[in-house]
Amino acid sequence: MRNSLLTVGLVVVAVLVVLAYSSFFIVDPRHQAIVRQFGEIKRVETTPGLKFKVPLMQDVVYFDRRVLDVDVPKDSFILSDQKRLEVDAYARVRIIDPLRFFQSVQSEIGMRNRLAPVIQSAIRRALGETNLQQVLTSQRAALMRDITAAVNKEARSFGVEVLDVRLKRIDLPVENSEAVY
């Protein structure tokens, strides 16, 4: 009788410890969190610290607060002077609205998949209005600011702020390079 009471007592204590442990979560200073209950968003936690949630009913989804990179696939663009360039670009972004971010793209992978075509489109539009000399001189900084502003307008609907768009590499197509050399 005494052994069975001790066993029941240990089981009850173990269950209480597990429930207490699953009732709390930590929001790291590098992250933001959304608390969901059965898939429905209950609240957004942006301040770091120890937080409470209902155990077994609520779960937590974390998002990075730091600056993230979005690589844009290499693509071919035609300039206003009809020269063709192979351009490899990237953007630096930050999640500013975790609720809108989760509702529109749900994850960093979803954001990258949705934002890359927006960046390519803005680059295509901007390069279509410039010539090769503008791309290769100091006027490129103004061009990049214009591209960043254009991308940022659309990216805000994803809960993301675009800090910078940059061209990693600009090449002539292979057939043009062979003709030059």
Side-chain angles (χ1 to χ4, degrees):
M1 177 76 172
R2 192 162 195 244
N3 271 346
S4 64
L5 281 176
L6 183 61
T7 304
V8 169
L10 288 174
V11 169
V12 168
V13 167
V15 168
L16 290 175
V17 167
V18 168
L19 284 176
Y21 180 74
S22 65
S23 297
F24 295 98
F25 65 98
I26 296 174
V27 178
D28 189 89
R30 298 170 293 178
H31 293 103
Q32 315 173 68
I34 290 180
V35 179
R36 299 183 311 165
Q37 183 171 325
F38 303 121
E40 179 184 338
I41 298 171
K42 287 299 183 184
R43 67 181 189 275
V44 176
E45 296 288 350
T46 57
T47 56
L50 184 65
K51 309 293 180 181
F52 176 78
K53 68 178 180 78
V54 179
L56 307 175
M57 290 177 54
Q58 293 181 337
D59 66 325
V60 181
V61 180
Y62 294 97
F63 300 108
D64 214 325
R65 183 186 298 267
R66 297 173 291 185
V67 176
L68 306 169
D69 290 333
V70 175
D71 276 325
V72 179
K74 188 174 184 178
D75 201 1
S76 181
F77 299 95
I78 298 176
L79 302 175
S80 65
D81 56 1
Q82 300 305 309
K83 299 240 184 339
R84 183 178 295 273
L85 291 178
E86 300 287 328
V87 176
D88 196 7
Y90 72 95
R92 302 193 37 91
V93 302
R94 179 181 297 134
I95 300 169
I96 56 172
D97 185 350
L99 180 61
R100 185 179 294 165
F101 179 83
F102 184 73
Q103 291 171 336
S104 61
V105 294
Q106 295 190 345
S107 68
E108 289 180 24
I109 294 170
M111 176 208 44
R112 286 181 173 95
N113 291 339
R114 298 266 310 265
L115 202 53
V118 172
I119 296 167
Q120 277 185 318
S121 175
I123 292 171
R124 185 174 311 283
R125 200 171 20 257
L127 290 181
E129 298 171 356
T130 61
N131 59 38
L132 184 60
Q133 183 179 0
Q134 291 171 322
V135 173
L136 299 178
T137 62
S138 61
Q139 295 173 343
R140 182 158 132 184
L143 178 68
M144 299 317 301
R145 280 193 300 273
D146 293 343
I147 292 171
T148 301
V151 172
N152 210 6
K153 285 179 186 174
E154 197 161 338
R156 290 207 180 258
S157 66
F158 304 145
V160 171
E161 175 187 25
V162 177
L163 303 173
D164 199 15
V165 175
R166 290 287 167 200
L167 304 179
K168 280 195 278 192
R169 186 177 176 124
I170 300 174
D171 289 325
L172 292 171
V174 175
E175 56 274 358
N176 288 12
S177 297
E178 290 173 0
V180 169
Y181 296 114

